[in-house]
Amino acid sequence: MIRKTRLFTPGPTPLLPAAQFAIAAADIHHRTPEFRALFQKVLAQLKVFVGTQNDVLLLSSSGTGAMEASVSNLTSPGDPVLVLTAGKFGERWVDLAKAFGCQVDVLKAPYGETFDLAEVRKALKPEHRAVYMQATETSTAVRHDVEAVAKLLKETGSEALLVVDGITGLGTTHFDVDGWGIDILIGGSQKAVMIPPGLAYLSVSEKAWGVMEKSKNPRYYFDLRKERKNAVKGESSYTPAVALVAGLGAALDYIAGQAGGDLEKGRIALVDNAQVNAAATRAGLVALGFTLFAPTAPAAAATAVAVPEGMNSSDVVKALKSRFALVIANGQGEMQGKIFRVAHLGFFDFLDTIALLGAMEHIAKDTLKLPVKYGEAVAAAQQVYADAVKQ
Ligand SMILES: *Cc1c(COP(=O)(O)O)cnc(C)c1O
């Protein structure tokens, strides 16, 4: 039978056809009025997509480049910083902060869980220059409470910058960047904005710009001050990923188009879409007998599921690929074999969710030998969908 390749991974995510066409057509030079107009349009759209009055910069790198820039530009060797970590991407903050000589305090939550706010309060010291965290920890599919951490920083009079990796949080979580006081919020192109890997974007607060002037860490490619100066002219410091910028513009047009041309409303609809698909997926997989890996604080970006005792999640990953050409993600690091992860961020609709769950019923029955009644997972998801759309 025909098997269509379907990506259900939390980055890269499925590509938007309109963005692919824009990418294919983008044979323009980056030091021209045509590109400057495109770049400025996309930067303005990104401000709306992120939901901020702060500057938003676009970097030609994967998401980690913007994470590195948020350490190298904002800290000096010896600076005390606090990292909140509960998974592989939190651990990346720890590694990065150490690489740039910070004195790193680490607050850990177990994989599959989020932080106890009282613990965060205890861990926070007046001398911390920055707090680094994820909005959603993609390795465990957990959502962290950025709003609560932001409030805590304000309440305690902390001077620390709040730096949030929103790489899978953007487009799946509602943020009030300026109201809460998020100094840096980072996104990546291969996540909710439906285009290939290669671009990172980040919003930068006035407070963060001030700190940057005093930072003594070395930076060259990722010098955000230089990027800001060039962005005003519609340029980037070095040759940008021109085609991806064109693709990003088309994707943001599409997201706006989902709400009659209003990008802010389109962003809200995109977040709601991910949340409904995530809830439907959770209900479907639980109906099949799987256990949610992050039941207390599930992210809408992705769902992580533990396979029953004695089974290997790699078998589920392999079987979905070979039988249905459907690509999901295994657990990362020590979670490999124990959990699998399916994505909801970006260009997924409810019928994609139904396809995934239908395929999963076959795999649960044939590969894992679970007592499956066809339609169980799909029906549970349909109930969630029906409840969500009836007002
Ligand atoms: C995908 C992802 C990243 C960035 O990864 P890159 O491979 O550098 O693009 C960082 N943080 C989170 C939470 C992610 O999901």
Side-chain angles (χ1 to χ4, degrees):
M1 293 185 77
I2 285 183
R3 300 171 310 136
K4 290 190 192 176
T5 296
R6 288 181 166 86
L7 269 192
F8 269 89
T9 44
T13 62
L15 300 177
L16 179 76
Q20 290 177 283
F21 297 137
I23 288 167
D27 57 344
I28 45 178
H29 192 276
H30 57 291
R31 306 293 182 206
T32 58
E34 293 80 2
F35 183 76
R36 283 185 205 107
L38 170 68
F39 199 60
Q40 270 161 339
K41 172 205 150 183
V42 172
L43 288 177
Q45 285 178 307
L46 277 176
K47 278 176 83 145
V48 181
F49 185 72
V50 174
T52 183
Q53 298 299 316
N54 291 337
D55 294 294
V56 176
L57 300 176
L58 192 51
L59 305 173
S60 294
S61 74
S62 84
T64 307
M67 292 174 75
E68 173 164 329
S70 306
V71 175
S72 64
N73 283 265
L74 297 175
T75 65
S76 301
D79 273 2
V81 302
L82 176 63
V83 175
L84 309 182
T85 172
K88 292 291 153 199
F89 292 103
E91 289 158 21
R92 191 167 297 180
W93 278 134
V94 176
D95 293 344
L96 270 167
K98 284 187 179 159
F100 285 91
C102 295
Q103 199 183 304
V104 188
D105 289 327
V106 180
L107 177 69
K108 278 189 194 167
Y111 289 177
E113 294 177 27
T114 187
F115 314 101
D116 177 352
L117 212 60
E119 301 275 319
V120 182
R121 188 185 290 270
K122 257 196 277 170
L124 187 64
K125 296 187 204 144
E127 58 267 33
H128 283 144
R129 308 315 304 156
V131 174
Y132 292 95
M133 69 182 297
Q134 270 62 40
T136 51
E137 171 54 72
T138 318
S139 67
T140 60
V142 162
R143 175 181 176 276
H144 297 316
D145 194 344
V146 175
E147 182 178 15
V149 174
K151 271 196 187 141
L152 182 68
L153 290 181
K154 280 196 177 161
E155 238 174 75
T156 55
S158 167
E159 303 216 326
L161 295 166
L162 177 57
V163 181
V164 178
D165 164 2
I167 295 176
T168 53
L170 279 155
T172 65
T173 315
H174 297 296
F175 295 101
D176 179 358
V177 177
D178 302 347
W180 300 350
I182 302 174
D183 293 293
I184 303 268
L185 182 58
I186 302 169
S189 59
Q190 80 276 32
K191 309 283 175 139
V193 290
M194 314 172 184
I195 64 169
L199 290 177
Y201 55 98
L202 71 168
S203 68
V204 184
S205 72
E206 275 314 311
K207 182 173 157 193
W209 287 119
V211 169
M212 243 177 262
E213 293 306 321
K214 290 176 236 131
S215 161
K216 293 191 180 61
N217 259 319
R219 55 217 123 128
Y220 189 85
Y221 185 73
F222 291 124
D223 187 335
L224 296 181
R225 293 165 306 172
K226 198 159 43 169
E227 284 300 335
R228 182 197 211 184
K229 273 196 206 119
N230 286 311
V232 172
K233 299 180 281 177
E235 295 198 3
S236 63
S237 304
Y238 311 102
T239 312
V242 171
L244 292 179
V245 177
L248 181 54
L252 293 168
D253 287 346
Y254 171 82
I255 293 167
Q258 295 298 300
D262 183 330
L263 182 53
E264 188 179 352
K265 288 203 181 114
R267 174 193 82 216
I268 292 166
L270 183 69
V271 171
D272 293 344
N273 177 69
Q275 293 185 347
V276 172
N277 280 310
T281 303
R282 290 195 297 270
L285 293 175
V286 167
L288 280 182
F290 291 108
T291 308
L292 297 176
F293 187 63
T296 51
T303 297
V305 168
V307 290
E309 199 57 34
M311 296 178 187
N312 193 322
S313 66
S314 309
D315 294 337
V316 178
V317 176
K318 281 185 211 146
L320 281 168
K321 178 89 195 299
S322 64
R323 277 189 65 185
F324 298 106
L326 196 154
V327 185
I328 65 168
N330 208 322
Q332 289 171 255
E334 53 270 52
M335 288 169 281
Q336 185 168 4
K338 299 194 177 108
I339 64 172
F340 63 79
R341 295 169 299 144
V342 296
H344 322 292
L345 74 171
F347 194 47
F348 289 102
D349 69 3
F350 178 60
L351 296 184
D352 291 325
T353 298
I354 290 296
L356 168 82
L357 291 172
M360 202 64 92
E361 290 181 355
H362 290 286
I363 300 305
K365 188 172 164 62
D366 301 340
T367 304
L368 299 179
K369 312 289 182 211
L370 294 175
V372 171
K373 240 171 62 206
Y374 291 134
E376 270 177 324
V378 169
Q382 285 178 309
Q383 192 58 56
V384 170
Y385 168 80
D387 293 343
V389 297
K390 91 166 166 252
Q391 249 72 25

